[in-house]
Amino acid sequence: MRNDFLDVYFSGVKGRASLVLAMLILVASVPFSPGSGLTFLVGLLMIQAVFAISFNILFGLTGLISFGQAAYFAAGAYGTAYLMQLDVGMPFLVAWVLGGLIGGVFAIAVGLVALRRASGIYFAILSLALGQLVYTVIRYSDALGRDDGMLGIDRPVLNFFLFQIDLGVGERYFYFILIATALLVAFLWWVWHGKLGRVLFAIRQDPDRVRFLGVNVQRYQQYAFVIGGTTAALAGGLMGPWAHILTPELAHWSYSALPILMSLLGGVAYFWGPVAGAIVFAWLGYITRTMPGIQELVIGGVLLVIVLALPGGIAGGAARIRQWLRRRRLTNEKEAGSNA
Amino acid sequence: MLSEVGLVVFNGLTWGMAVFLVAAGLTLVFGILHILNFSHGGFFMIGAYVSYQLLVTFGGGSALSFYLAAAFGGGLVVAFLGYVIDRLVLRRLKHVDHAYSLIATYALLVLCEGFVEITWGVDYRGMATPEILAGASFQHGIFMPTYSMFVIGAGVVLFLMLDAWMQYSRTGKLVRSVAIDPWMSGVLGVNTVAVYTAVVVVGFFLAGLAGGLLAANQSLSPALGSQYIIQAFGVIIVGGIGSVRGAFLASVLLGIVVALESLYFPYYPGMLFYLAVALFVMFRPAGLIKQRGVA
Amino acid sequence: MLEAHGVGFSYPGIRVLQDINLTVEAGERHAIIGPNGAGKTTLFKVLSGEDIAQEGTVTYQGQDVTRKGAWERVKLGFGRTFQVARVFPEMTVLDNMIVALECRQRIRHESGGPWWKVAAGRLLLEEARERLAEVRLGGVADDEAGILSHGDKKRLELGLSLALEPRILLLDEPTAGMSPDDRKEVVQLLKGLQEKRDLTLLLTEHDMDVVFGLATRLTVLSLGQILASGDPEQVRKEPVVREVYLGQRH
């Protein structure tokens, strides 16, 4: 089922629009809450949620297990920050888009190599190995700050010629992240639910059958790769000015595990699954932040339970509960009917 | 020139045998369960910490025999953990999609890190190199740390023992027959489940042993678990997954690649390794030595 | 229409096909029969592009397609079903059909409505429902395809292949695993479709009633070689065929 688990509760265009609006308002009110720590975490969460969906376009929708998603994210983050720090007066939005393109181009290259031959575990390892190339380049390039990372990345000023918006003022950059990630999520939602998403979902289920419907499967997998890589890179591009610092860990393969964890936790078969996973994951991380070790035990344990016992994740579990409730209601109605 | 060749060979072998120590158990487990086990790195790390703890607790001093005994102890503890993990997790992954089983073993790796952080904390721990291995010799213009020679020796000895076991012993042949055709072996009366468990226990023992043997080579930290595992993955994939001989050959080969890189192209350490692995997967996905019965 | 010249194919250590010369004329219902292991499925793979012939050539309407992959041949007018029906189990029956129709749009470079539209257009939906009715699946359009019965899956797969409006349809055992009644129904369905749509059919089949009820031409394959080919009734009478194949069964 490639549907939203939210559909049942908020069916129809109106219901869905009101839900989205409610979510946006909720997030937009975060900076007004006491304590600035939460604002930073929610900003980070939005970025990571897009990162997670970008992975799930590959995994949940197309059936490709990429273990190198961090490389695109980091390529976008470092690319954007590097272009911002160049002394050529490049507008931030241009730097951001170019950073996304760097990730996209790298994804094309990896896709050309990895999709050609490899499948299954080999594909995972190949995407991991190629992703580590980015990590290596970042760690050992002076221009990218080596192991120390890139420091002191400022919040940019948006220049619209007629007027300027300084995102360094107040929590303006938070709202910029909100708008940017909302646009990215909208785009990914469109991909997931549209004509392209349908054929990608078909490819995940049976690539041979799709070949015999006249589709060049490899090319469409490549499309998924480019979309996943570019959106991950665009999400990464938002990261530098938000955290003021980028470190090579963003490109390490263990960071690639983050969107995998989030997607599995939320439910890979659902568009909003990775978002739900990202929220729960952030919450788990938050309550265990002062307990080194416990955090890993909780996260590893939850993940293991999901793989072994709850492959549908949170969304899948919700769908099952819903089915169970419906079945119970139906039997109740039947009984009521037979009693009457 | 000659000394450069010698240097490359020596450094390559040092790198290669260290990775082979880790990869040997990994490839055994993959050969029979067809699970690529991320957590092998985690149990390698636990083996290192346990050996460290044994030496600290029993005050073994710096004698080589104590060091080896501690590594062996680390192996035994991890072997026991392997038995438990096999029962609780690995056995259930046999019919799970490969992408999910990969993720499950990653979850185990995270659990290992959590366990180590809770038990030993996040600070670095150091382990003294046994006195006899602490020195170095300078021959033919090559600087050769004694400890490196010890690692090379350990790798070669382990390979010879494993290979002899797999090729000539009755149990080794049994393992190979189950790896190639579990169904047929079952029909012929082999207790395949027992063989699976035994191989997992041996594989985990090797992980723990490797942890102990290599512990003196590095500072111990919870990040150790993800340090060697990618190199080991590369080695067993290039070698042909499931093949001990292949893993040995690939260790040497990739070790030479890494040593050449650090001598002539030291700007991006590790780059050539990843490129070599990627090229192998692309053009020779079956690896150096193709195993029968490995899908 | 579809021709094989000297086609050979081997798996490591086993020679599966040897010097196959086969001609499928336009408008035929051509059945390939042969005992298990004769190489029928491999021949099918080589003709449809799932595997590439190692020797010889395959031509389609005079064009050499030997090295063309499955999807390229489908673009030229091939359709294919599998021995064990393959559909998209996690989608509804209707969505299965929509995916197939959208694939046809891609092949023909037709627009499926405004590019930003998420849902399939009204026309496409109507056609999807019509086509499902044609293969008698109108009643289960909203069920998930994974829970369909074996026979329904077979018909859905046939419907998906037909949605691309192929010129030649390759059916690998279209009635495998069906009850005798279902088989008769499929024979009628195929005959009707073939006459209505100007199709050429190439099929493998085990069931002799289906073969003789449907085929206008019959080719017998044994041990990777063609034993006889021609009018079904004549082929049936050939002694060598009776000995090798029909003799075993009757």
Side-chain angles (χ1 to χ4, degrees), chain C residues 7-236:
Chain C
V7 163
F9 193 91
S10 308
Y11 289 110
I14 312 163
R15 199 166 168 78
V16 188
L17 295 176
Q18 204 171 336
D19 192 28
I20 297 283
N21 291 294
L22 180 74
T23 305
V24 182
E25 301 285 356
E28 268 182 356
R29 297 192 294 264
H30 193 140
I32 300 174
I33 62 169
N36 281 328
K40 287 171 302 196
T41 296
T42 306
L43 179 57
F44 242 63
K45 285 184 177 175
V46 169
L47 291 177
S48 66
E50 194 180 338
D51 276 326
I52 300 295
Q54 291 151 343
E55 296 158 25
T57 55
V58 179
T59 60
Y60 171 72
Q61 294 183 322
Q63 186 185 354
D64 187 351
V65 295
T66 315
R67 316 234 130 250
K68 285 203 189 304
W71 63 276
E72 291 172 295
R73 295 190 201 192
V74 171
K75 280 186 159 183
L76 294 172
F78 281 60
R80 150 152 211 200
T81 66
F82 292 85
Q83 206 166 28
V84 178
R86 290 167 79 163
V87 294
F88 305 117
E90 292 170 58
M91 285 173 162
T92 64
V93 171
L94 185 64
D95 274 349
N96 266 267
M97 185 55 82
I98 288 172
V99 164
L101 290 172
E102 284 177 337
C103 288
R104 190 188 70 198
Q105 284 181 345
R106 288 192 186 90
I107 293 172
R108 295 184 182 168
H109 303 289
E110 290 171 348
S111 144
W115 61 268
W116 44 266
K117 274 271 202 192
V118 165
R122 195 175 50 83
L123 277 175
L124 193 95
L125 257 158
E126 274 172 21
E127 189 188 341
R129 291 199 180 277
E130 274 166 31
R131 285 187 176 276
L132 287 178
E134 193 176 47
V135 288
R136 282 164 231 166
L137 290 171
V140 292
D142 295 322
D143 287 359
E144 252 181 48
I147 61 167
L148 291 183
S149 72
H150 182 73
D152 282 354
K153 273 187 197 155
K154 278 265 190 197
R155 280 207 301 275
L156 176 57
E157 195 193 28
L158 181 64
L160 298 183
S161 304
L162 286 170
L164 273 79
E165 298 187 343
R167 313 264 330 200
I168 182 167
L169 190 54
L170 288 75
L171 306 164
D172 198 355
E173 300 208 10
T175 69
M178 286 188 179
S179 69
D181 282 347
D182 280 351
R183 286 181 187 204
K184 276 185 200 135
E185 200 192 300
V186 168
V187 168
Q188 289 312 314
L189 188 70
L190 285 174
K191 260 189 179 168
L193 287 169
Q194 191 248 353
E195 280 155 15
K196 199 165 87 184
R197 294 193 193 276
D198 182 28
L199 254 175
T200 304
L201 290 184
L202 178 66
L203 58 135
T204 66
E205 186 54 63
H206 267 304
D207 187 278
M208 286 305 121
D209 292 336
V210 173
V211 169
F212 287 104
L214 195 59
T216 57
R217 198 176 170 85
L218 188 59
T219 294
V220 183
L221 203 62
S222 176
L223 299 172
Q225 285 178 302
I226 288 181
L227 222 56
S229 187
D231 179 74
E233 286 307 318
Q234 275 173 355
V235 169
R236 195 214 272 268

Side-chain angles (χ1 to χ4, degrees), chain B residues 83-94:
Chain B
Y83 179 76
V84 176
I85 295 292
D86 180 55
R87 271 290 158 95
L88 291 179
V89 182
L90 297 182
R91 204 164 281 185
R92 293 162 206 242
L93 291 179
K94 276 221 81 180

